Amino acid sequence: MKIIKEPFMQLQPEHFISVTFETEVKDADSVRELIEKCAKNVLERENIPFDAEIDARVVDAEEIRRLNAEFRDKDMVTDVLSFPMFDYYNGAPREDLEPDPESGRVMLGDMVLCYTRACEQAEEYGHSAARECGFLTTHSVLHLLGYDHERGEDDTARMRRREKEYLEAIGLTRDDG
């Protein structure tokens, strides 16, 4: 039997998204799949060329309020928090990225999502909880990659364009009701 090999075959990076639930969530498996899908979508569309890892935690309002107070000096419930491991600026690393010696993956950081707040916002905005969780995941991963809507109008516009484009690419639009 003759095996034919391609002269050069580029392997696609494998991105690993770990999702843990620290609060009860209806249909947790679907929420986990959605978070994984949205996070991987951002990493692929941002052309992250290495195996990347993100830890995502789904928490209740009390826990995200505690984290927001501790790390941002804002004693209030928020929807999502992002904790980057490396210094990125608009998708480009500004420091050497060190892969984990055991897994070979680069840990980009942590995302903490408040599911109850996401559901409240979905109702306020008139779209599904899936669309809101997808938006918040996309938003958070962009923050891990150094995008920031709080740096000024140009940065806000850049981040919003990506959020819209990336969500539309997987069928999560504002009018999904």
Side-chain angles (χ1 to χ4, degrees):
M1 173 185 277
K2 185 176 181 181
I3 298 175
I4 301 172
K5 292 185 177 181
E6 296 291 328
F8 176 76
M9 191 164 40
Q10 176 86 19
L11 293 176
Q12 292 291 341
E14 290 190 46
H15 305 305
F16 182 76
I17 315 302
S18 170
V19 183
T20 56
F21 291 87
E22 298 176 16
T23 188
E24 190 172 324
V25 172
K26 181 181 172 187
D27 203 6
D29 288 339
S30 293
V31 173
R32 174 182 283 106
E33 287 174 17
L34 176 68
I35 290 170
E36 290 172 355
K37 179 181 181 177
C38 291
K40 288 178 180 181
N41 180 53
V42 173
L43 297 174
E44 289 165 9
R45 292 184 179 284
E46 286 290 316
N47 297 310
I48 301 302
F50 51 82
D51 294 349
E53 184 172 352
I54 295 171
D55 282 340
R57 294 171 47 206
V58 180
V59 302
D60 62 16
E62 182 180 313
E63 176 64 3
I64 206 154
R65 180 182 188 149
R66 184 188 71 74
L67 292 169
N68 203 19
E70 180 178 345
F71 292 101
R72 298 180 67 227
D73 292 322
K74 295 183 179 185
D75 189 11
M76 57 185 267
V77 174
T78 191
D79 47 18
V80 71
L81 293 170
S82 306
F83 299 97
M85 292 290 289
F86 293 101
D87 184 20
Y88 263 82
Y89 183 80
N90 291 339
R94 298 200 298 192
E95 64 180 302
D96 291 337
L97 305 177
E98 296 290 328
D100 177 76
E102 291 181 28
S103 70
R105 296 186 292 252
V106 174
M107 170 54 82
L108 293 178
D110 298 330
M111 173 186 111
V112 183
L113 175 92
C114 180
Y115 186 74
T116 53
R117 186 66 191 126
C119 290
E120 291 167 359
Q121 288 177 176
E123 190 170 315
E124 289 169 23
Y125 301 143
H127 54 242
S128 70
R131 196 279 176 190
E132 189 65 16
C133 287
F135 169 79
L136 294 172
T137 299
T138 299
H139 182 85
S140 180
V141 174
L142 286 170
H143 272 309
L144 295 179
L145 296 175
Y147 293 92
D148 193 344
H149 53 91
E150 295 180 359
R151 273 196 303 251
E153 289 181 26
D154 290 344
D155 285 304
T156 299
R158 179 181 295 110
M159 191 168 179
R160 295 298 180 245
R161 278 192 308 272
R162 279 177 167 71
E163 290 164 347
K164 184 175 190 268
E165 175 188 334
Y166 296 173
L167 289 167
E168 286 177 352
I170 58 174
L172 288 175
T173 60
R174 279 192 177 263
D175 58 348
D176 70 351

